[in-house]
Amino acid sequence: MSLPRMALTAATLLFHFTSGGSLQAEESKTDAAKPNILVILADDLGYSDLGCYGGEIETPQLDRLAENGLRFTQFYNTAKCHSSRISLLTGRYPYQAGIAEDGNKSIDRSTTIAENLSAQGYYTAMVGKWHLNNEPQDYGFGRYFGHLSGATNYFSGDNTWRLDREAWSIPTTGFYATTDKADYALTFLDEARQGDGDQPWFLYMAFNAPHAPLQPLREDYEKYEELYEKGWDEIHAARIARQKSMALFDHNVDVPSRPEHIPAWKDLSAAQRNFEVRRGAAYAALVDRLDQEIGRIVEDIEQAGELDNTIILFLSDNGACPYERPSKGRELFPYDRASNWNDSTGWAWARNAPFRMYKQNQYEGGSSTPAVVHWPAGLKTKAGSTVSTPVHIIDILPTIAEVTQTDIPSAWPKRDLTNVSGESFASLLAGGPFSRENPIFLQFQTDRGLRDGDWKIVNLQGGPWELYNIKQDRAEQTNLADKYPERVKSMEKQWTSMGTDTAHLMSRLVKPLPKGNNDAAPIHWEWSDYQSDPSTTISEASAKRENPKRK
């Protein structure tokens, strides 16, 4: 088990650096109560979607949290929805947390943040997308409202919606998934305050937004109807310019050119541009609404006098989604209940600016996403600052354990627990340094990666390893594998060892990769096919082309 290297607590100790750089403890001037904790997880959010990360979408609520809090510029995840949820809740890598043969959605060899905190007297509740085996109340959540599925219709839901353990019927009118989740979050917060006035609470909000289907409310969609007529080339360039003007990164990022599998906006047909304009607006509206509902929650916490001693952590489960599955009702407005649009690879590229690739890939575009921490009583960093130290979603559980003085169990009834792999980054919240004991391990299916200090090895779809110096080349433009073959060999050995001994991958997932270079342009059969007419369904278009496999 990873044990905290430094005791940082809201109750008794805060740390600061002396001019000489040493850590000292001082008495906290904050209330002795343990902090409340609000973890907000967005779904398929691109790196540059938020205003505070360079986006044009209106996100004033999250921007305000960032302005008064701390932004991470190198916050890693697993590049996939359900596996990031596993790692967030358990502090373990996905296969390590459960039973591998159980669909990789098991967490039965771990304990969750909710279980750890409830054992220490916290009120615990969850709203939103579960996407794992069993139900939230099997893993420490006292209250639950949301859907067990990995995605849901925003207007009509699905048959997995639950209020606690009971099936919850979707109202025929007045229902909207993002808003209803916020409504129940407010209900649970009110309930938390009805008991012992000193009882802290933990609320986990796992929004479905902005995951497809792209089904915005009309009032949100109409704000963006014309904005995306500029096209993805101009939107991408504008996001890069804003990132530079706000000095988001420590070094200038060598921005990659538009990939070959995405055409220039000007080369699309009029019909294609028409649909993509509307699709871009529909997505933006989902992010806008997400921000509005987060604002309602934050306002409630503030009015209750709890904002100062509430840790708010906002992050995303993976990068932008490029997979264009069948869209229905393209001729309709996206707020029509009969419409069901899916993602666009071209917009996913713009949303992940300045990085390469997408969800499910271990390049920065898939595995590194926005993360904001707001905690007035505990943060010792300058308001509005950024931190470039790499951290991973597995680090959230041990960090919460440290700042709340909560034990991480080494045993649990009817579970054979594995060790926690995450490492507490509480020292970063205190304005100090954080140095990992172990590299960051990355894997989803045949996409692999390892981040060790400034260096990263990564591959695509079972292809050979590539090597990048992330400090100098954040956007992964210059592959140094041929220049430093021994470093690749050493890091590959580390990856294989961690994959077997730490991440508990099945043997087929740690087989050696092919050697050499693969200069073929990457392609995936579910990426948008801009050679087809937009009136053609994706399933028809996909049938016209070979499902390519990388050699």
Side-chain angles (χ1 to χ4, degrees):
M1 177 182 301
S2 294
L3 297 176
R5 294 189 297 264
M6 178 185 76
L8 172 94
T9 75
T12 58
L13 295 177
L14 290 175
F15 289 86
H16 68 88
F17 280 87
T18 66
S19 58
S22 61
L23 272 174
Q24 291 185 341
E26 62 178 20
E27 290 187 8
S28 170
K29 297 178 182 178
T30 61
D31 189 90
K34 290 188 177 183
N36 301 310
I37 301 166
L38 171 60
V39 175
I40 306 170
L41 187 67
D43 202 332
D44 289 1
L45 188 77
Y47 190 88
S48 58
D49 280 337
L50 305 181
C52 55
Y53 280 82
E56 73 289 334
I57 304 171
E58 294 181 18
T59 56
Q61 306 301 331
L62 286 165
D63 295 348
R64 182 168 74 102
L65 293 178
E67 183 180 356
N68 294 289
L70 179 66
R71 279 172 296 164
F72 289 80
T73 61
Q74 300 195 65
F75 202 108
Y76 287 92
N77 52 63
T78 72
K80 180 64 174 175
C81 296
H82 70 273
S83 51
S84 283
R85 284 161 171 73
I86 291 174
S87 293
L88 186 161
L89 289 172
T90 70
R92 294 159 171 87
Y93 290 110
Y95 283 100
Q96 177 194 15
I99 302 169
E101 293 76 14
D102 205 5
N104 189 216
K105 294 183 181 180
S106 167
I107 53 176
D108 284 337
R109 300 187 69 192
S110 55
T111 62
T112 67
I113 296 172
E115 287 172 321
N116 300 347
L117 291 177
S118 62
Q120 299 296 318
Y122 270 74
Y123 173 97
T124 60
M126 174 185 172
V127 297
K129 168 176 167 176
W130 179 237
H131 204 191
L132 302 176
N133 288 353
N134 303 320
E135 300 189 17
Q137 287 171 300
D138 295 319
Y139 300 100
F141 289 101
R143 298 301 309 275
Y144 173 65
F145 172 79
H147 53 101
L148 305 178
S149 56
T152 191
N153 189 293
Y154 286 80
F155 296 115
S156 59
D158 58 33
N159 62 5
T160 72
W161 281 77
R162 300 286 185 272
L163 176 55
D164 295 326
R165 295 183 183 276
E166 300 298 321
W168 190 79
S169 299
I170 306 297
T172 55
T173 60
F175 172 82
Y176 189 69
T178 307
T179 301
D180 279 53
K181 290 171 185 176
D183 287 343
Y184 271 90
L186 293 172
T187 297
F188 293 158
L189 287 179
D190 184 64
E191 181 178 279
R193 298 170 187 136
Q194 301 307 309
D196 184 344
D198 294 329
Q199 184 182 25
W201 50 260
F202 166 54
L203 175 61
Y204 170 41
M205 299 188 70
F207 284 101
N208 189 55
H211 192 293
L214 308 182
Q215 296 173 317
L217 292 174
R218 179 173 182 172
E219 63 194 82
D220 300 329
Y221 173 76
E222 290 180 344
K223 291 170 61 176
Y224 298 96
E225 252 184 319
E226 299 179 0
L227 178 59
Y228 292 94
E229 291 178 359
K230 300 174 182 179
W232 45 60
D233 292 299
E234 188 171 335
I235 291 293
H236 185 273
R239 291 187 174 199
I240 298 296
R242 281 190 291 270
Q243 289 173 342
K244 289 182 178 180
S245 68
M246 65 174 63
L248 185 63
F249 302 108
D250 292 340
H251 303 274
N252 288 331
V253 176
D254 184 13
V255 180
S257 58
R258 176 174 23 80
E260 293 181 19
H261 56 271
I262 298 171
W265 182 260
K266 64 181 178 60
D267 293 338
L268 296 177
S269 69
Q272 286 172 327
R273 286 197 300 270
N274 176 273
F275 180 55
E276 294 297 344
V277 167
R278 294 184 294 133
R279 188 149 56 166
Y283 175 84
L286 294 180
V287 177
D288 188 305
R289 173 55 52 179
L290 172 68
D291 185 75
Q292 292 182 55
E293 301 303 340
I294 290 171
R296 284 207 295 147
I297 303 302
V298 174
E299 181 182 22
D300 178 80
I301 294 170
E302 190 168 19
Q303 289 180 348
E306 298 173 337
L307 188 61
D308 274 1
N309 202 29
T310 295
I311 302 172
I312 301 176
L313 170 61
F314 173 88
L315 69 161
S316 180
D317 57 357
N318 46 250
C321 179
Y323 305 114
E324 185 164 359
R325 285 139 189 165
S327 289
K328 299 178 181 177
R330 295 185 181 209
E331 73 284 358
L332 303 173
F333 285 109
Y335 50 78
D336 189 308
R337 293 173 65 92
S339 75
N340 194 307
W341 299 355
N342 271 282
D343 291 296
S344 162
T345 310
W347 285 124
W349 165 68
R351 289 162 46 199
N352 273 344
F355 300 139
R356 294 173 57 193
M357 304 306 289
Y358 320 100
K359 173 182 179 177
Q360 298 187 12
N361 308 130
Q362 301 301 341
Y363 293 90
E364 300 292 282
S367 61
S368 183
T369 48
V372 176
V373 173
H374 182 274
W375 183 23
L379 274 180
K380 308 313 290 184
T381 52
K382 181 181 177 181
S385 60
T386 61
V387 60
S388 60
T389 304
V391 298
H392 190 276
I393 199 168
I394 59 170
D395 301 331
I396 293 173
L397 180 144
T399 302
I400 288 176
E402 185 169 349
V403 300
T404 60
Q405 292 183 291
T406 300
D407 294 332
I408 299 177
S410 58
W412 198 263
K414 299 182 179 180
R415 296 185 204 169
D416 181 16
L417 300 186
T418 57
N419 293 334
V420 167
S421 292
E423 302 179 28
S424 171
F425 57 81
S427 58
L428 290 176
L429 307 184
F434 169 55
S435 178
R436 302 194 71 85
E437 295 179 3
N438 296 296
I440 293 175
F441 179 86
L442 303 166
Q443 180 269 337
F444 177 72
Q445 293 181 351
T446 59
D447 285 71
R448 304 175 178 181
L450 188 79
R451 176 71 191 270
D452 189 12
D454 294 337
W455 292 93
K456 179 181 176 183
I457 54 170
V458 65
N459 83 313
L460 180 67
Q461 300 170 2
W465 286 113
E466 301 168 16
L467 175 69
Y468 298 95
N469 185 313
I470 297 298
K471 183 176 181 178
Q472 300 174 359
D473 180 20
R474 184 71 200 280
E476 299 164 312
Q477 292 300 286
T478 303
N479 180 8
L480 300 172
D482 287 343
K483 187 175 182 179
Y484 300 109
E486 291 305 312
R487 183 176 291 276
V488 174
K489 184 177 180 180
S490 174
M491 293 183 70
E492 178 183 29
K493 184 177 180 180
Q494 278 185 302
W495 186 92
T496 303
S497 175
M498 288 188 70
T500 302
D501 300 332
T502 304
H504 294 206
L505 297 184
M506 294 175 286
S507 59
R508 64 178 176 82
L509 296 176
V510 293
K511 290 181 178 179
L513 296 178
K515 304 298 182 182
N517 294 313
N518 191 337
D519 297 324
I523 192 168
H524 189 284
W525 70 281
E526 286 185 305
W527 288 351
S528 299
D529 177 13
Y530 296 107
Q531 302 303 313
S532 64
D533 187 276
S535 63
T536 306
T537 65
I538 299 303
S539 57
E540 291 171 345
S542 297
K544 295 177 183 177
R545 55 180 174 155
E546 179 185 1
N547 181 0
K549 296 181 182 291
R550 293 179 64 84
K551 304 292 186 184

